Amino acid sequence: MIQKKVCMVGVFGTGKTSLVQQYVHTKFTDKYHSTVGVKIDRKVVSVDGTDVTLVLWDLAGRDPQQDVGASYLKGSHGVIYVGDGTRRETVTDLDDLLRVATAAAGPVPSVTAINKIDLTEQWALTPEDYQALVKRGALFRTSAKTGEGVEEMFLQLARFLIVPKAGA
Amino acid sequence: MTDVSAASRSSDAPRGKGAEATLTPPHVPVVPVPPVAGGAPVAASASAPPPAPVDPRVAEMAELKRLLLDAERARLDANEARLEANLLTPENLADRLPEAIVLRASQDKQLARALAPTVEAAIGESVRRKPGEFADAIFPVLGPAIRKAIAETMAELVGSINRAMQHSFSARGLSWRIESWRTGVPYAQVVIKHALVYRVEQVFLVHRETGLLLAQAHPPHLQVPDADLVSGMLTAIRDFVGDSFSGEKEVGGLRTFSVGELTVMVEQGPRAVLAAVVRGQAPESYVRRVQETIEGVHAQFASALNEFEGDTSAFESVQPLLEDCLVTVLETDPPAGKKVNTTPYVIAVAAVVVLLIAWMMWQSTRWSRVITQLRATPGIVVTEAQRGWRTHSVRGLRDPDAPQPNAIFVAAGYDSVRVEQQWEPYLSLQPTLVLKRVARRLGAPQPGTPSYVLRGDTLVVVGALDAVWLARVARRVTWPAGVASVDLRAAQPVMPAALASPADSLVSGRVLFPAGTSQLDDAAYAVIRGAARQARKLASALGADGVSATLTLTGRADATGTDSTNASLSRERADRVRRALEAQLREGAKTPAVRYDPKGVGTAEPLPASDSTARARMNRSVSFDVRLTIDAPSGARPQ
C-alpha cells in the first residue's frame, strides 16, 4: 500500500476542515470549528488502478505572518492550499503561505483550492486574481458545502503524487 | 567595578592626605593603609618613597591619576553630603523597608537565610502562646493537605488489600470462571481484568519524517483504533511537544505519555519511531526491548527507511519484529509463602470422581446383569431395556408360566417402582415352559406325583398315579401348546384316594377254609358277601371314569400234603370263591363290569404268621386284591 502525507494549508476559516470532511466523510456543517493544532484523517483513493492512502493533515488556520507549523509540514508529499473566494485577502495571502510551506516541506506537488464557490453573490475575486493563481499551477474552484470540485481536487493531487513514482 | 575602584583607591592613598580624607568616611582609619587586597601592598611599596620623580612617564601617570581622582572626589563629596542629609532614622527605614526587602529578595536568597531563624523563633513563640489562633490560621492549608495524604494512603491500602484478597483466595480461578459465566465476558478477559500486570495492545512503526505508518501489530481479537490515524496523530503530538519544548527535542523528544489506563511508550530512531501502547505498568526491561526493536528495524531496513516515499510494501517483513513486542504479563504466580496446599482437595476430588465412576460402573454392571438374567429366563424375551438416571424401563414378551420379572428385579436390588415394565403375553415352546404349562393344566393326581418328560412333542408321564386322573389324561383331546400326544406307558395306575377305604376293606378280607377242602362254610360266605359289596362300589366308581378293575383271587394251601395236591387245592379254592363272588355280584340291580383273575399258588407265597397253627389256618385261604387298568379311549391312539 502506498501512503502519502498531504497537508492542508490556508488562512483561518477558508474551509480546510470542511473540505476534508466533505471528501472523507461526505458531510458538511455550517458551524465553524477552529482547528487547534492539527487533525488527521485518511482516505484511500484509486489513481489509474493504484490505491493510494492519503493521510490528510488538516493544519490549524494561521495568519500569513505566523509560522504555518513547519514541524507538521515537514515530510509532506503534497500540499493543498486553500483560499476563501469570498475573502480576497485569504487568496492573496496564499503567496506567503506558499513560501513558508515550501521552506518546510520542499518543492512538493501542490494544488490550490478556492473554496466556497456556492456563495456566488459574495464572490470577491477579480479576473486578474485568477490569472495570478493559474500561473501557480493546478487551480480548483471548490465548495465543501455542495461537494463541487472537491473530489477532483484531491484526485488531481493524488495523481501528482503518483506520477514521479511511476517515472522513477 | 568595585575591585577596580578599591585598587585605584589603595594605590592613590599615600599621595595626599587631603584626598584621602575626603575619600574616606569618618570612621575608617586613615593611616596606614591595611594590606587588604593582594595587589595593594605591591602598588603601595612601588610608589611609597618619592625622592625626586624625574621620570616623565611617572609624571604623566600622576597627572592622569589626578585628573581621574578629581572627578571622583567631586562625586564622593556629593555622596557624603547626601548621607549626612539622609540619616538612617526609623521613619526613613519604614518608608524604604518593603522596597528594600523586595529588591534584596529578587537578587539572592540571603535575606531569606537571614530571616529564617527569627521567623522560626517567632512562629514557635506564637504557637506556644496562642496555639488556637495559630491552628485557625493554618487550617485552610492543613485541611486539604491532610485529606490528600489520607486519600493517597487509603488508595494504596485498598490496592494492597485487593491484591491480598486476590492472592489469598485459593479458588480465585474458580471465581473468575463464575464471573465469566455470569457476565458472558470471555474467561481470558476476566483473568486479564484481574491479574493483568501489563499488556502491549498495539505497536506502531512510524516513519519519522512523514508520520506515515510503516507497520503495526496488535493481538488478535483486540479492538484497536485506526492505526493510520493514530500514527499521524502520534507524529503530530511529537511535533507539537518538540516545538513546545524545543530544548528537549535533541535529547529524545516525547518518550512517554499516558491516556487513561494506557501508556504510550515512544522510542525514536533516526528514520523511524516505534510506539507501544501499553495497558498497565510495563517494566524497565520492556523499554529496553522496544529500544532494541527500533535499533533492529534500523539495522535491517536502513535503505528502505532512507528511500521511503510512501510505499509500505517494503516493510511487510518487519511484522514479526513488531509482534515480538506484543507482550501480555499476568500475575499468575501466587505470592511466596502463601502457597495453598491443594493436595487434600485434589485427593478429595479424585476420590469423589473415582467413587462416582465406580458407582456408575456398578450401576451399569448391575443393570446388564439383571437384563442378562431376564434374557436367560425361559419364557421371557426382552426386546428393549433402557437404563435411566433414576428410573429404568424394560419391554418384552412374557409367557404366563414364566417367573415374575419383577421378582428378578427385586432380587437384584432394584426398587420395582423405579423399573417401568411392559410385558406382552406370549406362549413359549421351551420344554420347561411347556412342562410347566402341562403341569398347571393337568392338575395334581390323588395320590401320586407325576413326572413329565417331553420327547419331541410327546409328553411322557411317569409315576404311580391316581388311576382316575390317568384315565382323564388318556382321554384328553386338546393339549397345551408344545404337546401333541401323551405316553402313559411309564405310568402305573393306583387306587384313587377317594376309593381308598372300600379298596382297603376288600383287600383286608380273607376267605378261610378247613384243612384239605375247598368247601365254603357260612363264615366264608359272609366274607364273600362283604367283598362283593366293596367290589361293586369300586367297580361302579371306576368304570364311570374309564378305569377297569380286575379282582385278583389268590388261593393258598397249608403246608401239609404234597405240592401238587396243594396247588390244585389252592386253585380250586380260588375258583370256588370266584364263582360265589360272581353269583353275589350278579344278584344286584346292575352287574358291575369286573374282571376276575383267580389263581392258586399252593404253598409258594405263604402268608406270615406267629406260629405254625395260625400260619396253617391263615394259609388255607383265598385273599383279594384289585388291579387297575386304564381303558383305551374310543378312537384314541394306541399306547
Side-chain angles (χ1 to χ4, degrees):
Chain A
M1 176 61 88
I2 292 171
Q3 299 186 55
K4 295 290 178 185
K5 174 177 174 179
V6 173
C7 282
M8 309 285 294
V9 174
V11 183
F12 287 115
T14 48
K16 297 177 290 299
T17 304
S18 295
L19 283 170
V20 173
Q21 288 292 308
Q22 175 61 252
Y23 180 54
V24 177
H25 305 291
T26 329
K27 62 184 181 190
F28 175 79
T29 171
D30 270 316
K31 282 188 186 164
Y32 174 64
H33 298 282
S34 179
T35 304
V36 177
V38 60
K39 276 206 301 206
I40 293 168
D41 231 314
R42 184 184 65 146
K43 170 116 177 175
V44 180
V45 61
S46 181
V47 180
D48 307 327
T50 310
D51 280 350
V52 184
T53 302
L54 297 181
V55 178
L56 302 167
W57 287 50
D58 173 17
L59 304 189
R62 302 266 170 158
D63 282 340
Q65 289 74 28
Q66 259 180 313
D67 129 57
V68 257
S71 304
Y72 298 143
L73 279 160
K74 211 173 61 189
S76 295
H77 296 117
V79 179
I80 295 174
Y81 298 98
V82 184
D84 178 352
T86 65
R87 290 186 291 151
R88 191 167 172 275
E89 72 281 5
T90 66
V91 179
T92 52
D93 284 344
L94 285 179
D95 288 335
D96 294 324
L97 292 176
L98 174 71
R99 254 194 316 281
V100 178
T102 308
V108 294
S110 70
V111 296
T112 304
I114 302 305
N115 197 24
K116 307 194 187 178
I117 54 163
D118 49 296
L119 303 172
T120 43
E121 67 274 23
Q122 299 170 33
W123 204 249
L125 293 192
T126 62
E128 291 75 39
D129 294 330
Y130 279 117
Q131 292 298 323
L133 286 167
V134 167
K135 279 185 201 147
R136 289 184 42 188
L139 178 68
F140 288 85
R141 300 199 305 159
T142 59
S143 167
K145 186 174 186 176
T146 63
E148 189 183 341
V150 176
E151 193 87 36
E152 294 83 342
M153 185 259 293
F154 280 102
L155 190 64
Q156 180 58 58
L157 182 66
R159 266 204 196 93
F160 285 157
L161 298 179
I162 281 296
V163 167
K165 179 81 184 167
Chain B
M1 174 75 182
T2 46
D3 287 348
V4 171
S5 64
S8 65
R9 233 185 292 158
S10 48
S11 62
D12 291 340
R15 263 197 358 106
K17 283 187 179 163
E20 202 70 62
T22 49
L23 251 178
T24 319
H27 60 275
V28 176
V30 178
V31 272
V33 175
V36 279
V42 181
S45 60
S47 59
V54 284
D55 189 348
R57 279 185 303 182
V58 173
E60 276 177 27
M61 182 64 80
E63 178 64 18
L64 182 63
K65 279 183 183 170
R66 193 187 56 80
L67 285 170
L68 284 169
L69 194 67
D70 280 351
E72 196 172 9
R73 194 172 54 195
R75 207 160 54 243
L76 283 168
D77 286 341
N79 277 345
E80 193 181 15
R82 195 158 65 231
L83 268 176
E84 279 169 357
N86 294 327
L87 276 175
L88 195 62
T89 63
E91 288 76 17
N92 285 346
L93 190 61
D95 281 348
R96 299 286 168 85
L97 190 59
E99 207 180 322
I101 289 175
V102 170
L103 197 63
R104 187 58 200 257
S106 68
Q107 285 172 2
D108 55 33
K109 293 190 172 165
Q110 277 300 326
L111 189 66
R113 284 198 198 110
L115 284 177
T118 316
V119 171
E120 279 162 16
I123 290 174
E125 188 68 12
S126 170
V127 170
R128 203 161 45 247
R129 281 164 54 185
K130 292 182 177 172
E133 274 186 24
F134 191 78
D136 285 350
I138 64 168
F139 175 76
V141 186
L142 218 50
I146 291 170
R147 274 199 299 278
K148 194 175 167 211
I150 289 175
E152 280 177 2
T153 311
M154 283 303 288
E156 210 170 286
L157 187 66
V158 167
S160 65
I161 288 173
N162 284 344
R163 279 193 296 280
M165 292 285 282
Q166 277 185 351
H167 289 316
S168 55
F169 273 20
S170 56
R172 188 167 59 157
L174 184 66
S175 70
W176 291 345
R177 290 261 175 217
I178 292 168
E179 182 181 338
S180 163
W181 167 77
R182 194 168 46 77
T183 58
V185 177
Y187 178 64
Q189 283 188 23
V190 174
V191 172
I192 282 170
K193 181 178 140 201
H194 290 288
L196 184 72
V197 176
Y198 71 96
R199 174 173 66 181
V200 182
E201 299 199 335
Q202 208 169 3
V203 178
F204 302 95
L205 182 66
V206 182
H207 188 242
R208 185 168 166 186
E209 192 185 17
T210 61
L212 293 176
L213 181 73
L214 299 177
Q216 68 99 19
H218 61 83
H221 315 306
L222 194 69
Q223 290 284 328
V224 292
D226 187 315
D228 283 330
L229 300 187
V230 173
S231 165
M233 282 316 297
L234 193 65
T235 308
I237 291 168
R238 288 185 62 251
D239 289 344
F240 174 76
V241 172
D243 286 350
S244 306
F245 304 93
S246 52
E248 304 301 313
K249 201 174 182 180
E250 278 67 41
V251 290
L254 181 67
R255 295 289 297 276
T256 307
F257 62 93
S258 297
V259 187
E261 291 183 332
L262 299 176
T263 302
V264 183
M265 294 166 51
V266 186
E267 284 301 329
Q268 66 173 32
R271 296 283 172 191
V273 174
L274 193 70
V277 181
V278 182
R279 185 179 294 278
Q281 196 63 48
E284 193 61 31
S285 60
Y286 186 74
V287 179
R288 281 200 297 280
R289 186 171 189 162
V290 174
Q291 285 166 348
E292 283 163 17
T293 305
I294 188 70
E295 283 160 18
V297 169
H298 275 84
Q300 212 173 320
F301 297 90
S303 63
L305 283 169
N306 281 333
E307 292 157 15
F308 179 68
E309 269 298 322
D311 187 357
T312 57
S313 55
F315 294 93
E316 276 163 13
S317 56
V318 83
Q319 200 68 19
L321 283 175
L322 299 192
E323 280 167 5
D324 282 348
C325 292
L326 296 175
V327 183
T328 300
V329 174
L330 301 176
E331 45 169 73
T332 46
D333 300 328
K338 278 201 172 182
K339 197 170 180 353
V340 178
N341 183 9
T342 53
T343 317
Y345 299 101
V346 171
I347 290 173
V349 169
V352 167
V353 169
V354 166
L355 283 176
L356 199 65
I357 290 172
W359 184 78
M360 286 166 75
M361 284 173 70
W362 175 72
Q363 284 286 340
S364 169
T365 313
R366 186 167 76 134
W367 178 253
S368 58
R369 193 179 293 155
V370 79
I371 294 300
T372 309
Q373 190 184 347
L374 272 179
R375 287 189 204 279
T377 305
I380 292 180
V381 177
V382 178
T383 56
E384 194 183 314
Q386 280 187 339
R387 186 167 67 92
W389 184 244
R390 282 178 63 78
T391 58
H392 319 297
S393 70
V394 181
R395 289 159 181 273
L397 307 173
R398 177 177 169 265
D399 188 290
D401 289 303
Q404 279 292 340
N406 216 22
I408 295 174
F409 279 114
V410 172
Y414 282 96
D415 184 349
S416 59
V417 178
R418 293 267 164 79
V419 185
E420 184 199 315
Q421 302 173 50
Q422 205 169 345
W423 300 106
E424 294 293 326
Y426 89 114
L427 289 175
S428 169
L429 291 184
Q430 292 215 18
T432 47
L433 263 296
V434 171
L435 295 179
K436 269 194 176 178
R437 204 175 304 136
V438 164
R440 183 167 55 78
R441 295 277 288 279
L442 296 186
Q446 256 340 301
T449 307
S451 297
Y452 301 108
V453 177
L454 204 57
R455 289 215 180 94
D457 60 357
T458 299
L459 180 71
V460 179
V461 183
V462 180
L465 303 164
D466 176 357
V468 173
W469 180 85
L470 274 176
R472 264 191 230 125
V473 171
R475 274 195 192 76
R476 196 171 186 102
V477 177
T478 59
W479 288 97
V483 176
S485 60
V486 67
D487 180 354
L488 297 179
R489 282 175 299 178
Q492 188 203 345
V494 297
M495 190 59 69
L499 299 174
S501 110
D504 284 350
S505 307
L506 179 65
V507 172
S508 61
R510 192 176 296 129
V511 181
L512 300 177
F513 294 88
T517 180
S518 61
Q519 290 295 317
L520 296 168
D521 55 15
D522 288 345
Y525 274 112
V527 171
I528 289 168
R529 276 198 297 277
R533 254 197 321 276
Q534 304 307 334
R536 184 186 297 277
K537 262 188 212 166
L538 288 173
S540 62
L542 292 167
D545 286 323
V547 179
S548 296
T550 303
L551 282 176
T552 316
L553 305 152
T554 308
R556 287 187 180 82
D558 59 17
T560 56
T562 63
D563 281 351
S564 63
T565 312
N566 284 337
S568 62
L569 182 61
S570 63
R571 169 79 203 197
E572 212 171 297
R573 282 172 178 162
D575 284 336
R576 201 170 278 253
V577 172
R578 179 210 158 166
R579 282 194 295 276
L581 191 60
E582 203 169 3
Q584 280 290 324
L585 287 172
R586 213 177 283 130
E587 279 175 10
K590 186 186 171 194
T591 306
V594 176
R595 291 188 207 140
Y596 303 95
D597 181 13
K599 59 180 178 186
V601 296
T603 55
E605 300 166 19
L607 296 169
S610 51
D611 60 82
S612 59
T613 316
R615 195 187 309 131
R617 186 169 157 268
M618 194 180 282
N619 279 299
R620 293 193 295 272
S621 65
V622 169
S623 54
F624 304 98
D625 202 355
V626 183
R627 207 170 70 236
L628 299 176
T629 51
I630 308 298
D631 299 342
S634 55
R637 291 134 290 196
Q639 300 292 338

